[in-house]
Amino acid sequence: MKIHIIKHIGKFYLCSLVLLAAVGCSDFLDESDPSNLTPDSFYTTAKHAESAVAAVYADARFVGDGAGIFSSNWQLLEAVTGTSTTQTAQNSDLNNLYSLSYDANTLHIRNWWRGVYRVVANANLVLDNVPDIEMDETEKAKVLGEARFFRAWAYFYAVRLWGDVPLITMSQSATSEDFSPVRTPQKEVYDLIVADLLEAESAGLAWTDDSGRVSQSAVKSLLAKVYLTMAGNPLNETARYADAASKAKEVIDNAGPIDLFDTYGEVHDENLGNTVEHIFSLQYNDEVAGNPMGNMFPNFQPVTYRGPSGTGSTVPEIEFYNSYEDGDLRAVDREGWFYSSYYLNGSGELFDLGAPYIFKHFNVTANGTLGVPGTAKDNLNMPIIRFAEVLLIYAEAQNEAGGPNQAAVDALTRIRDRAQLTTPALGAFDTASFRDAVLQERWHELAYEQITWFDMVRLKKVYNSETGGFDDFVGHVNLSSDQALQEKHLLFPLPEQEMINNPNLTPQNPGY
């Protein structure tokens, strides 16, 4: 199923339904003259509805797109955390992210803005036009639910990256009244995110979907994550902790086929995509687009079928790696999230890499393992929401809403059991100590999944890998660069070119 869905999403992406223009592909459209399609003439059949939402899925993969030499868009959310460093210095934009000296012209920031708003634009086209199509009402509701999920998902990134952002809820043209929109207060953006997800929650989506489409469990999990974020900086709506705990508990209690994998290797097994722990992922298939995490390969080391290669532009910061507890399986070579040795050219003799590297997104099937050459086709998906995160959302939110209870400790214990770590009993915790325990697990369990930065911002706290405690955000020194975080870093700057194109976006975020 997964390959079928991805092939069609990819085909539609290549023939493109982007913003206001649509051109046809025979797999999707029946019109005799597709070169003259317009939104009015396109949205007339159930196939058009499916094709339109397929374009939204395809656009969501902007997260893995390139950002100049040896860099990808996702590195925007990793380089600034201090949990990684680089072995190459050939991308000035990436270097500026690592050194916290980025500005409004940094390519990654510009790419994220354009990527987010392309998802919004195509989701708006679906929401504006699909309701009028004559098609099965159950299927229509699902398509609209998927579009609402993605619009919420995109705005959730936007509001956390830039704060007040333009809130566009209708498809646009050059004659639209709000073609040059102003920035909307964050609270209103969050209100739309919640409203979209509540609508999607009741859209009749399947509980899970091994084809990679949005599921009801994905909607509920994202909503729990949104509530948790709203409870922290900058909204500080602390009542939302209870909402986050309640929504996460719905997923935990009704998990069905959802669970933690038994081993960490299964987390990055391409044959297990969209199953068990993977609640929602960006879909990759080498026929359309291969997995985009290659910048985590060590620099010019023969760990794959390609021989000596790799850029090493995202590698672990050594003190962060050393902060994992003794015996933590996640830090064991080739057992957890890291590897310090691998097989020559992917399948030969074991050799020492000289340092730990990130194994979490390493595709053994594509790259090879002992005695088994790689397929050279990296079909591994990019995880966005894992069940592990839902367990940690519940544990944190329940603790903040009412102190630790047995269910919260059980959720934390499930994470630590897999790591082969012992968890104290409920009576050993108070609210403060349980908070620290859960947050430390978030740093260690969810590392290198583009989550840590947003934890830093909402908590205004940063894990100190040398002390094991938590520093205030402002003044914390990233060990990867020996640079201190400032107040301005709680938000990214708006892209300079976007502000030139639309003067209504002013003022720029403070400090830039």
Side-chain angles (χ1 to χ4, degrees):
M1 271 304 280
K2 170 184 160 184
I3 293 177
H4 174 78
I5 290 291
I6 292 303
K7 283 182 180 177
H8 284 77
I9 290 174
K11 286 178 183 177
F12 195 75
Y13 182 64
L14 292 174
C15 68
S16 184
L17 170 72
V18 179
L19 300 179
L20 301 172
V23 294
C25 285
S26 59
D27 284 6
F28 291 93
L29 308 179
D30 297 324
E31 278 75 0
S32 59
D33 187 9
S35 64
N36 290 327
L37 285 174
T38 67
D40 289 339
S41 63
F42 174 75
Y43 293 96
T44 57
T45 71
K47 286 185 178 181
H48 296 169
E50 282 291 323
S51 298
V53 81
V56 184
Y57 278 89
D59 283 340
R61 287 202 299 267
F62 82 87
V63 176
D65 287 349
I69 186 171
F70 301 155
S71 190
S72 304
N73 288 337
W74 56 262
Q75 288 174 293
L76 173 74
L77 301 178
E78 293 298 342
V80 290
T81 65
T83 62
S84 68
T85 185
T86 183
Q87 293 182 318
T88 183
Q90 297 189 54
N91 186 306
S92 59
D93 289 300
L94 182 60
N95 293 341
N96 289 340
L97 290 170
Y98 275 113
S99 64
L100 301 178
S101 59
Y102 51 84
D103 59 25
N105 290 303
T106 298
L107 178 60
H108 302 70
I109 296 172
R110 186 163 68 247
N111 286 352
W112 269 87
W113 182 280
R114 292 174 179 175
V116 160
Y117 276 103
R118 178 170 291 181
V119 172
V120 168
N122 272 346
N124 283 340
L125 281 168
V126 173
L127 294 170
D128 283 352
N129 294 284
V130 168
D132 293 332
I133 296 177
E134 291 187 10
M135 60 183 291
D136 180 86
E137 291 299 322
T138 299
E139 293 306 310
K140 180 189 291 187
K142 291 179 180 179
V143 166
L144 295 173
E146 290 170 285
R148 288 191 182 279
F149 172 90
F150 274 109
R151 187 168 70 176
W153 176 81
Y155 272 126
F156 189 41
Y157 277 120
V159 75
R160 290 179 295 167
L161 289 169
W162 296 291
D164 297 349
V165 292
L167 189 61
I168 304 168
T169 59
M170 303 288 289
S171 50
Q172 297 287 293
S173 72
T175 59
S176 297
E177 290 185 7
D178 58 348
F179 186 69
S180 298
V182 299
R183 298 170 69 177
T184 302
Q186 294 181 60
K187 179 62 169 67
E188 294 180 34
V189 179
Y190 274 105
D191 286 345
L192 177 79
I193 292 168
V194 170
D196 271 350
L197 291 175
L198 290 174
E199 287 279 348
E201 194 177 23
S202 60
L205 300 170
W207 179 245
T208 59
D209 192 321
D210 63 8
S211 75
R213 297 186 74 147
V214 175
S215 64
Q216 190 180 49
S217 60
V219 175
K220 289 179 181 291
S221 298
L222 182 57
L223 188 53
K225 189 169 181 171
V226 169
Y227 286 147
L228 184 71
T229 302
M230 294 173 74
N233 173 68
L235 297 186
N236 296 307
E237 295 181 359
T238 54
R240 291 296 190 179
Y241 281 121
D243 294 334
S246 176
K247 195 57 62 178
K249 195 69 160 54
E250 288 182 38
V251 178
I252 294 168
D253 289 347
N254 298 284
I258 300 173
D259 202 348
L260 294 179
F261 285 117
D262 292 333
T263 67
Y264 294 112
E266 291 170 295
V267 175
H268 54 110
D269 183 340
E270 70 169 46
N271 298 307
L272 298 174
N274 307 317
T275 67
V276 190
E277 189 165 342
H278 293 299
I279 293 177
F280 184 70
S281 303
L282 296 183
Q283 304 296 294
Y284 284 90
N285 183 286
D286 198 68
E287 293 186 35
V288 175
N291 179 274
M293 310 306 285
N295 285 309
M296 289 181 177
F297 287 134
N299 187 31
F300 211 63
Q301 298 238 34
V303 297
T304 78
Y305 62 90
R306 297 183 183 92
S309 60
T311 68
S313 61
T314 291
V315 302
E317 197 283 319
I318 192 63
E319 291 301 333
F320 176 70
Y321 169 77
N322 290 335
S323 71
Y324 283 76
E325 294 178 50
D326 291 342
D328 191 328
L329 195 62
R330 290 169 297 197
V332 175
D333 182 23
R334 289 174 285 116
E335 291 286 339
W337 299 151
F338 303 91
Y339 64 131
S340 54
S341 66
Y342 206 65
Y343 307 107
L344 185 68
N345 297 329
S347 57
E349 296 180 0
L350 191 69
F351 73 100
D352 186 4
L353 291 168
Y357 294 91
I358 300 165
F359 200 51
K360 179 179 266 189
H361 303 282
F362 188 95
N363 188 342
V364 171
T365 300
N367 298 310
T369 188
L370 181 62
V372 183
T375 64
K377 296 182 182 298
D378 199 341
N379 301 321
L380 186 63
N381 293 333
M382 184 176 180
I384 298 297
I385 303 172
R386 291 192 292 120
F387 185 55
E389 184 180 9
V390 177
L391 290 170
L392 291 170
I393 288 173
Y394 173 72
E396 180 185 352
Q398 168 56 41
N399 183 57
E400 299 300 335
N405 62 10
Q406 189 59 54
V409 174
D410 289 346
L412 177 64
T413 300
R414 292 174 72 175
I415 300 295
R416 290 177 59 82
D417 278 355
R418 184 169 63 174
Q420 299 185 359
L421 299 172
T422 300
T423 306
L426 173 61
F429 291 110
D430 59 17
T431 299
S433 62
F434 191 71
R435 177 188 300 124
D436 285 350
V438 172
L439 294 181
Q440 182 170 318
E441 286 306 316
R442 286 189 66 89
W443 252 259
H444 288 151
E445 176 66 26
L446 306 176
Y448 311 119
E449 293 184 51
Q450 298 77 61
I451 293 170
T452 300
W453 176 254
F454 294 126
D455 280 349
M456 292 165 61
V457 171
R458 71 178 176 84
L459 295 164
K460 296 187 77 172
K461 296 285 184 180
V462 186
Y463 179 66
N464 186 318
S465 55
E466 292 184 307
T467 68
F470 287 85
D471 299 339
D472 289 338
F473 181 97
V474 177
H476 169 83
V477 175
N478 277 0
L479 297 179
S480 60
S481 62
D482 199 33
Q483 297 297 311
L485 291 162
Q486 303 172 41
E487 185 76 25
K488 73 173 186 177
H489 292 133
L490 290 166
L491 294 174
F492 282 93
L494 275 67
E496 179 69 21
Q497 189 59 52
E498 299 298 330
M499 299 189 74
I500 292 172
N501 292 340
N502 178 14
N504 291 337
L505 292 177
T506 56
Q508 177 62 277
N509 282 333
Y512 298 104

